[in-house]
Amino acid sequence: MVPARILAGAPLALVILALSGCSSWGCTDTTAERGKAGVKVRIVDPYGQSDGATAEVVDWRRNPNPQARHKGDEINFHYRFDHVHSYSGPVVDACAVDNKRKALGCQTIYSPDGSPPGAPVTGDGWLYAEHPEQVTGVLLIPNDQSYDRRTCDQDPKDGGGPHPPKPAEEGDQL
């Protein structure tokens, strides 16, 4: 039989352990749902919130990449970020898709640094697709991939919380 004074102190000991960070009971990880891809998207964080920043595919074409002509045609696309309010800028995924919106090739694109907050920022990129002749468009995925925090497994005391969805990859239905 356990003495009554030990039983009386047990809840207090558990509270002290929880408050000291020695317990990972409160650590939870959540992964955001992937947002709907589009030619122009409002960029959202893992909470689904937007600060007004948008990204848009301005145009795209199929032609050889001057730095890798041996690969044949690739997809060259131009994009624009608007209303970006930080110098670090958002990070989104761009995917070349077929007529059924199946991803044929994807990459992460970064809003270029250095322009004044809120000013339009443009750039271009190249997407590789095994069958570039099947590409019918380039779509952006609105989830800001720059928000990457520690997981509960990596840091049970301070980690956890919302995480962006897994980046898009070839074969994903967008």
Side-chain angles (χ1 to χ4, degrees), residues 65-83:
N65 183 333
Q67 310 224 330
R69 290 192 184 280
H70 65 283
K71 290 184 179 180
D73 280 349
E74 292 187 35
I75 308 305
N76 180 227
F77 66 102
H78 293 89
Y79 55 86
R80 173 184 170 123
F81 286 92
D82 283 306
H83 310 292

Side-chain angles (χ1 to χ4, degrees), residues 51 83-91 110-119 121 146:
D51 67 357
H83 310 292
V84 174
H85 300 290
S86 69
Y87 284 104
S88 62
V91 179
Y110 302 82
S111 171
D113 293 339
S115 34
V121 180
S146 65

Side-chain angles (χ1 to χ4, degrees), residues 7-171:
L7 286 176
L12 180 59
L14 289 175
V15 168
I16 291 170
L17 281 174
L19 292 176
S20 70
C22 295
S23 169
S24 62
W25 293 335
C27 190
T28 58
D29 283 313
T30 58
T31 301
E33 293 280 326
R34 183 179 291 161
K36 184 170 174 58
V39 172
K40 183 173 184 176
V41 296
R42 182 173 296 272
I43 300 167
V44 295
D45 65 18
Y47 296 100
Q49 302 298 309
S50 173
D51 67 357
T54 61
E56 176 179 12
V57 176
V58 179
D59 69 6
W60 68 274
R61 66 182 56 98
R62 192 178 9 233
N63 54 16
N65 183 333
Q67 310 224 330
R69 290 192 184 280
H70 65 283
K71 290 184 179 180
D73 280 349
E74 292 187 35
I75 308 305
N76 180 227
F77 66 102
H78 293 89
Y79 55 86
R80 173 184 170 123
F81 286 92
D82 283 306
H83 310 292
V84 174
H85 300 290
S86 69
Y87 284 104
S88 62
V91 179
V92 297
D93 289 332
C95 294
V97 297
D98 66 10
N99 60 353
K100 295 180 181 169
R101 294 175 63 111
K102 182 174 125 189
L104 302 175
C106 297
Q107 76 169 41
T108 301
I109 59 171
Y110 302 82
S111 171
D113 293 339
S115 34
V121 180
T122 60
D124 74 311
W126 290 88
L127 292 166
Y128 174 77
E130 189 172 340
H131 298 284
E133 70 280 358
Q134 294 177 359
V135 174
T136 60
V138 175
L139 299 178
L140 300 176
I141 300 173
N143 307 102
D144 186 344
Q145 294 288 333
S146 65
Y147 187 75
D148 187 25
R149 63 186 314 160
R150 293 176 180 257
T151 65
C152 291
D153 287 343
Q154 294 166 330
D155 187 352
K157 180 179 174 198
D158 299 320
H163 300 278
K166 187 177 99 174
E169 54 189 37
E170 186 177 342

